[in-house]
Amino acid sequence: MRYLEFSPSPGFDLLVSRLVFMENSGTLNFRTVPRNYPAVIITAPDSGAWQIEIGHSRHQLHNGNVYFAGLGFTPSKMSFNGKLKIWVAILKPQAAQIIFGDNAGAFVNEISCVSDIHAPLRLLSEQLWENRENRNNPENSVQLIERYFVRFLERQNIKPAILRALDKIHTTKGKVSVRELADAAFTCNRHLLRQFIGQVGVNPKKYSAMVRFSKLMNEWMLNPASDVGNLAFDYGFYDLSHLNKEAVRFLGVPLHEIKEQNNSLNQNLV
């Protein structure tokens, strides 16, 4: 698996966390850690097979299409097979509402083909793959992608309270109460709950739990020899049993099964 990651330009980072180019030539299957962000996925016209299983639903990502994936906390699996070229724009948690103008909750635990309903993203896909220089040199495509996404910034109307709450969740690694979030956002619990669900897609307690678990998993995958019990304590879990319950909730299996799989891509996508 060839994996290239690009940081967004200043100002562009209100919408995009990072841009990722992936090129695969074999088979890779793994369970995914909770996805704390929405993403735009752009597949090359001559790509191989990419299947995503979310809960009991299977989604085959067809060649040459653009897909939008919302936040995901339902146990999921990914399967790559054959030669693949893919661009993934990993977005900020509030980006679904910015790009589509709908309640972000409609996209949670979902992945949808948007090629036919979102003309700017369809045109971006065509320019990415039809230009040979862009196709063979991913570095040349970064500015092109940013030019297409920057138009969404002009209509963003994310509440400052939500941005402050999201910053608090990530800086505390999810170890924060709703009351503390409301205080940090200079609002009350009720207003925070309503605005957060509308612009992020899940309530702040659920999102904090997703962030806490995914950050712990990332640290564990980067240091597989580390003591999981100590990590559990550091991240505010009562004990290893409590952490395993969260693993089954978010991954569908106990922790030891995740450790045995190939987590090379999981580490990059957390």
Side-chain angles (χ1 to χ4, degrees), residues 58-212:
R58 291 185 178 180
H59 306 267
Q60 188 73 39
L61 275 62
H62 297 288
N63 304 343
N65 278 323
V66 182
Y67 294 85
F68 185 81
L71 300 180
F73 56 81
T74 298
S76 304
K77 301 176 185 176
M78 283 192 186
S79 176
F80 297 89
N81 188 27
K83 293 184 177 180
L84 287 164
K85 284 187 178 181
I86 308 160
W87 271 103
V88 181
I90 295 178
L91 307 176
K92 290 297 179 73
Q94 67 274 14
Q97 199 272 343
I98 295 175
I99 294 177
F100 291 96
D102 296 326
N103 188 307
F107 302 101
V108 173
N109 294 320
E110 296 289 343
I111 182 166
S112 306
C113 181
V114 296
S115 302
D116 294 333
I117 63 172
H118 207 288
L121 291 178
R122 183 177 67 250
L123 291 173
L124 170 60
S125 176
E126 292 171 357
Q127 291 199 27
L128 279 175
W129 304 121
E130 290 178 2
N131 185 304
R132 180 175 295 181
E133 188 173 348
N134 289 337
R135 187 184 182 92
N136 296 328
N137 299 286
E139 294 82 357
N140 296 337
S141 300
V142 174
Q143 288 187 345
L144 173 64
I145 296 172
E146 290 192 350
R147 283 202 304 271
Y148 270 84
F149 274 95
V150 75
R151 69 190 66 191
F152 301 122
L153 291 175
E154 299 172 358
R155 68 187 192 201
Q156 73 87 14
N157 60 346
I158 299 300
K159 304 293 185 184
I162 300 304
L163 296 177
R164 288 192 288 266
L166 286 168
D167 181 66
K168 184 73 172 178
I169 290 171
H170 283 276
T171 55
T172 60
K173 298 181 179 180
K175 298 182 292 182
V176 61
S177 69
V178 175
R179 177 70 264 170
E180 290 171 320
L181 288 176
D183 289 343
F186 305 116
T187 187
C188 67
N189 288 20
R190 182 168 57 86
H191 285 161
L192 176 64
L193 180 65
R194 177 174 54 82
Q195 293 179 353
F196 202 96
I197 291 175
Q199 298 196 326
V200 177
V202 296
N203 65 55
K205 183 178 180 180
K206 168 77 78 174
Y207 187 74
S208 296
M210 293 166 63
V211 169
R212 179 173 69 155

Side-chain angles (χ1 to χ4, degrees), residues 234-249:
D234 291 343
Y235 278 85
F237 293 96
Y238 301 125
D239 51 29
L240 193 54
S241 176
H242 181 202
L243 175 58
N244 256 317
K245 287 180 180 178
E246 287 292 274
V248 173
R249 173 190 178 193

Side-chain angles (χ1 to χ4, degrees), residues 24-43:
N24 184 61
S25 58
T27 299
L28 179 62
N29 303 290
F30 62 97
R31 290 180 178 271
T32 62
V33 174
R35 191 175 60 253
N36 306 324
Y37 50 80
V40 171
I41 302 164
I42 306 172
T43 61

